[in-house]
Amino acid sequence: MVRVKRSQLREGCVLAEDVLGKTKRPIIPKNTVITKPLLLVLEKFLVEEVDVEPLLANGEPFPNVDSASTAAAKQPMSFYLEAVQRYKTWFQSWQAGLPVDIGEIRGVIISLFERMAGQKRELLMLHHYATKDEYLHHHAVSVGLLAGFLAMQLGYSEGECHQIALAGVLADCGMAKVSRRILTNPSALTEAEFNEVKQHPVFSYRMVQKIPALNYGAKLAVLQHHERNDGSGYPLGVKAERIHPYSQIVAVADVYHAMTSERLYRRKQSPFRAIETMQREQFGKLSTEAVAALVNNLIGLQTGAVVKLSNGEMAEVMFIPSDDPARPIVKIIETGQLLSLSVQRDIYIEEMVQG
């Protein structure tokens, strides 16, 4: 990490540590990407110095940081940001008609997965980095990491976890064959545009179909990651019995990251809010085992954890109901008031600040 003065910050800087106020409570959590409004927040709270990652959110090095100190200071998220930029170059090459270079992709993604597989909090924060303009690139790398992590928690072998991670990364490679006008459209898609987008799993499958380094399950996951257990998915509309287990894992990772990320025509949701929506709206559509692995291993709260609520208040988790784990009983730190989020449905957990 790099210690910098507030005046040196620019949009796209990534916080390496929580920014604490005078009460020692986090004003802005680590891994947040700095924006213009956040620069004003830091000024308002008279924050003079902060710790940032040596790389910006777009993968560029932080200005005035030499390469030697950058290499020495690298955190896992720096490797993630580098991988996103590598994916961007791959995607551009696919748009130009070049084939998938699985050797290069495997070298980057598996190395990154092995670095981050045990970093639960870092994986939980991946959505912070997805900007509207580079959503596709962040989404691909994040889905690969999350899918590999879920596979690991579900007891798959190391080799299978690697295959599932690669399937997650390559699931949207076929988006390179979709019209660039659609990919950059800032408004909701028309029916015709959405129908074209719905063909991207087929395009992706064709791009990986003859790659011997990917096994049968990984190739099916690329094709089936938008299929749903009740037959409501696409492109084939198959039901659970015909959907490969790898596909079901990638599907959960795909939905979760999409819901928690900022996109051109849709606002992001809190991870905890996204989990609620997935459990409610996707019941019968997504694998219950994969969703449970996401809730219990990635989103899993513990008593004593400090969280930020949607109303801006900080709270401590006191009790976690087994039937509604995203809505625990919390104690408001400033007032000591106990609040059941299962009862107070209009308030939810925005972010976990300290586990």
Side-chain angles (χ1 to χ4, degrees), residues 87-104:
Y87 182 90
K88 183 177 181 179
T89 63
W90 300 332
F91 193 83
Q92 291 169 340
S93 74
W94 303 331
Q95 287 180 309
L98 295 178
V100 172
D101 185 342
I102 193 63
E104 182 181 356

Side-chain angles (χ1 to χ4, degrees), residues 228-257:
R228 297 294 179 259
N229 289 347
D230 62 357
S232 63
Y234 63 85
L236 303 176
V238 295
K239 292 188 176 183
E241 60 271 15
R242 296 186 59 192
I243 301 175
H244 196 280
Y246 289 12
S247 310
Q248 297 189 342
I249 293 171
V250 174
V252 169
D254 177 73
V255 169
Y256 169 74
H257 187 262

Side-chain angles (χ1 to χ4, degrees), residues 85-121:
Q85 293 308 305
R86 295 288 292 277
Y87 182 90
K88 183 177 181 179
T89 63
W90 300 332
F91 193 83
Q92 291 169 340
S93 74
W94 303 331
Q95 287 180 309
L98 295 178
V100 172
D101 185 342
I102 193 63
E104 182 181 356
I105 293 170
R106 194 182 192 286
V108 172
I109 297 305
I110 299 308
S111 174
L112 177 64
F113 174 67
E114 290 175 347
R115 287 179 186 276
M116 295 195 64
Q119 306 283 333
K120 288 188 180 182
R121 176 162 182 180

Side-chain angles (χ1 to χ4, degrees), residues 307-315 332 334-335 337 339 347:
V307 296
K308 179 182 178 182
L309 302 180
S310 57
N311 62 4
E313 292 188 288
M314 307 295 290
I332 307 300
E334 189 166 339
T335 65
Q337 173 194 359
L339 183 67
I347 299 175

Side-chain angles (χ1 to χ4, degrees), residues 150 154 252 279 287-298:
L150 294 178
L154 289 167
V252 169
Q279 290 177 317
S287 161
T288 54
E289 292 81 5
V291 172
L294 180 66
V295 174
N296 297 331
N297 293 286
L298 189 57

Side-chain angles (χ1 to χ4, degrees), residues 126-139:
L126 287 176
H127 62 284
H128 278 297
Y129 296 87
T131 61
K132 290 181 179 180
D133 292 337
E134 298 209 335
Y135 166 75
L136 269 178
H137 314 132
H138 282 275
H139 183 65

